[in-house]
Amino acid sequence: MRKGSYSNAMLIILIAGIFCLFIIQDSSALSAEPSNESIQAKEGLGQAEKDILEMMENNISINRVNETYQEALQLYSAQLALEEKGKKADYKLIIKYTSDIGSVKKTALQAKDELEIFSEIFNEVGENTNLSEMHGEYDQIISSLSDERFEDTIKLIKTGYERISEIQSSQTAINAFSNAISKTIKNFFIRNWLKLIIIFSIVLILLLIFWSSLKKLKVRLRFNLLITQKKSINNLLKKMQNNYFKTKKISEADYRIRLKKFKELIRDIDRQVMVLKEEIYKSKKKRR
């Protein structure tokens, strides 16, 4: 099914659910005064409708939350009928379902935002580093969002950042080691082809020096990655602020949630940057 047709089908299903809820509300208005729990359940269903529509507006798949919503709607109808007959009704499961929909929506929006940041960094790093061995992992992250495994998306993105850093360090180490060995062999054949003991000593010294340099290089690469990540987050923050203040594409509640999340990410990056700066400073101090 094409994406447009899928979205239209989901919208029709949701509208049908809303229509059913209106019918239920009209019928309940003709009966006795509804209970507080009934009112809370009805308000929860109304909020769930808004959450699902917001996910659709952000091009996020809603199969998972729509199934929960339809089940909650059916339960509400059944419990309301019991209440109207003077029997005991239980709305706890309905309230739980609608609350779960809100939680899924928040996680989905967070996963989508973090995936946008990660994709931007992945493409930027890929311009100077061969990330082909990570394409499978990258596809898993993308599919986890489309498959509505939003919690997995956030976890996979965190692992993805670690993998990028490892690949950068590995490829830089290989290139540097290859250049060092090439120069060493060339000098060996030109000047010291008979002096095996000397060349073995030189190689050993180079390895010792090279190991120390690798540690410093890894810190520097991690530092650069964090700076790139912070830049991407700031760009997304500006985009979100534009959507809220100018185009009004997002609600105030979600704007505050995302703003808080972005600020937390930036604070976490700043903490990591401070640690790396301290490591670099200590390294320079030792050399003196």
Side-chain angles (χ1 to χ4, degrees):
M1 184 183 291
R2 295 175 59 187
K3 187 173 182 180
S5 301
Y6 168 81
S7 298
N8 290 335
M10 290 295 99
L11 185 58
I12 290 171
I13 293 172
L14 184 59
I15 291 173
I18 296 172
F19 181 72
C20 290
L21 183 58
F22 284 157
I23 293 175
I24 294 169
Q25 292 173 357
D26 290 340
S27 64
S28 63
L30 300 174
S31 61
E33 187 72 14
S35 64
N36 291 335
E37 199 174 20
S38 170
I39 295 173
Q40 186 180 355
K42 185 174 67 176
E43 290 174 348
L45 286 168
Q47 182 59 49
E49 293 164 9
K50 295 178 182 178
D51 292 338
I52 294 172
L53 287 172
E54 185 173 353
M55 290 175 67
M56 292 179 67
E57 290 172 356
N58 283 274
N59 296 319
I60 299 174
S61 182
I62 62 167
N63 278 329
R64 176 176 166 186
V65 290
N66 189 57
E67 289 176 3
T68 305
Y69 172 76
Q70 295 300 328
E71 187 171 350
L73 194 62
Q74 292 174 11
L75 286 170
Y76 179 77
S77 178
Q79 296 303 314
L80 188 62
L82 287 174
E83 184 173 317
E84 289 173 351
K85 293 177 181 179
K87 297 181 180 180
K88 185 177 181 181
D90 187 357
Y91 296 91
K92 290 180 181 178
L93 190 56
I94 301 163
I95 295 170
K96 179 183 181 302
Y97 281 169
T98 55
S99 177
D100 289 345
I101 290 173
S103 297
V104 171
K105 183 208 72 171
K106 289 179 182 178
T107 303
L109 291 174
Q110 178 185 346
K112 183 175 183 291
D113 289 339
E114 293 193 14
L115 180 56
E116 288 181 7
I117 298 171
F118 180 80
S119 296
E120 186 176 335
I121 292 174
F122 183 88
N123 293 327
E124 187 172 339
V125 173
E127 294 177 0
N128 301 311
T129 304
N130 183 8
L131 298 177
S132 58
E133 67 180 276
M134 195 181 164
H135 283 170
E137 295 167 63
Y138 181 79
D139 291 339
Q140 286 181 6
I141 297 174
I142 299 296
S143 63
S144 69
L145 184 70
S146 59
D147 293 341
E148 303 183 43
R149 294 181 288 110
F150 308 121
E151 297 83 358
D152 290 343
T153 302
I154 296 172
K155 293 177 182 177
L156 289 171
I157 286 173
K158 183 179 179 181
T159 304
Y161 282 125
E162 295 173 357
R163 285 284 291 134
I164 290 175
S165 183
E166 289 173 5
I167 292 172
Q168 281 185 309
S169 299
S170 175
Q171 291 185 10
T172 304
I174 291 172
N175 292 334
F177 185 80
S178 178
N179 292 334
I181 293 297
S182 297
K183 291 179 181 179
T184 301
I185 292 174
K186 183 178 179 180
N187 292 334
F188 171 77
F189 281 108
I190 293 174
R191 302 175 184 176
N192 304 300
W193 61 276
L194 291 177
K195 300 178 181 179
L196 294 176
I197 295 177
I198 296 176
I199 196 63
F200 283 136
S201 300
I202 292 174
V203 171
L204 181 60
I205 293 171
L206 283 174
L207 286 173
L208 292 173
I209 296 174
F210 193 67
W211 178 256
S212 177
S213 300
L214 272 180
K215 290 177 67 177
K216 297 171 187 174
L217 185 59
K218 185 176 181 179
V219 171
R220 178 59 62 182
L221 287 173
R222 179 62 181 166
F223 180 86
N224 292 337
L225 181 62
L226 288 171
I227 296 302
T228 302
Q229 186 178 352
K230 183 176 180 180
K231 179 181 176 183
S232 300
I233 293 172
N234 283 326
N235 289 337
L236 257 180
L237 183 59
K238 291 178 182 177
K239 180 181 176 182
M240 182 192 70
Q241 289 173 334
N242 180 70
N243 289 337
Y244 174 67
F245 289 107
K246 293 185 178 180
T247 63
K248 302 295 181 181
K249 289 183 178 179
I250 60 175
S251 65
E252 181 179 357
D254 285 315
Y255 169 75
R256 294 185 181 280
I257 291 171
R258 294 193 196 183
L259 182 64
K260 181 180 178 182
K261 181 61 181 177
F262 285 151
K263 287 183 177 180
E264 287 175 354
L265 289 171
I266 291 174
R267 282 197 297 269
D268 184 60
I269 290 172
D270 288 338
R271 283 194 294 268
Q272 294 182 60
V273 168
M274 287 298 297
V275 172
L276 292 177
K277 283 183 176 180
E278 187 176 350
E279 289 183 22
I280 294 171
Y281 173 78
K282 289 180 179 179
S283 177
K284 290 181 179 179
K285 194 174 182 180
K286 286 182 180 179
R287 287 204 305 267
R288 294 174 184 171

